[in-house]
Amino acid sequence: MSSRVQNKVALVTAAGQGIGRAIAEALIAEGGIVIATDLADDKLKDLPAKKRQKLDVLSQDSIDALARTVAGEFGALDILVNCAGYVANGSVLDCTDKDWDFSFDLNVKSMHRMIKAFLPAMLAKKSGAIVNISSAVSSIRGVPNRYAYGATKAAVIGLTKSVAADFIKQGIRCNAICPGTIESPSLEERIAAASEATGKSLDAVRQDFIGRQPMGRLGTAQEVAALALFLASDEASYITGQPHLVDGGMAL
């Protein structure tokens, strides 16, 4: 059995499905002591994590309560992986204030809340790795009808660089992962919504998503998880403050 994060305490948000689930599974497989969280905690039932916890990342009180619980049960985190996110569809002309505010609250401010709650214990022991899920659709590349989403994921890259710069001399590393189009339950939901909105078939909409990937296929959550595992591990001990693409050439 491999043990790249053996006995390291890791917390993953949105671990119930998709990229978050794959990252939690990868950390568990490599010996990590994983705290898996999700708003839909029923999705965590069959995940062999050390602790499974319902968590609303929009609530600072809930996050602070979890931070106290984790500190009591496990001590400081070694790894924090921020995966919670939402894809808003449309251009600036379609974006309501509610769409904008919710997108930033879930995609960016949730990471701010999590880092602010769990970073102090990491600083106390002078070590920790933070991995934030951004996107190729960000400051790296713009795509049609992803106005609010692209803005939030660009903000995640800025947040990541700021945390890395502030705490680089105190043993903290902070990196971002920028996936391309990944097979996931949330993608299936977006395909269904686009099909309903445009009248195009599900297969046609899926081909549109595949068509923007130069490799001619969608990525898998496990391919993103492999990069997250590397960045969380000591193998990446000289890497911080960077956006890392796993995008099938989408940003080329």
Side-chain angles (χ1 to χ4, degrees), residues 70-163:
V70 168
E73 293 182 16
F74 301 96
L77 294 181
D78 298 295
I79 300 161
L80 172 62
V81 186
N82 288 309
C83 296
Y86 165 74
V87 181
N89 189 55
S91 73
V92 61
L93 299 178
D94 306 305
C95 185
T96 66
D97 282 357
K98 183 178 180 180
D99 292 334
W100 182 264
D101 291 344
F102 180 74
S103 293
F104 270 87
D105 201 6
L106 182 54
N107 292 1
V108 187
K109 198 172 180 181
S110 69
M111 297 189 185
H112 156 78
R113 294 183 186 105
M114 292 294 295
I115 293 169
K116 192 168 185 178
F118 287 94
L119 179 60
M122 290 178 165
L123 289 170
K125 71 169 189 174
K126 295 182 167 43
S127 69
I130 301 168
V131 180
N132 299 321
I133 302 299
S134 178
S135 175
V137 180
S138 56
S139 53
I140 296 170
R141 178 181 171 179
V143 301
N145 294 315
R146 290 293 182 268
Y147 171 69
Y149 179 74
T152 64
K153 292 303 188 178
V156 169
I157 292 174
L159 177 155
T160 298
K161 286 180 174 288
S162 292
V163 171

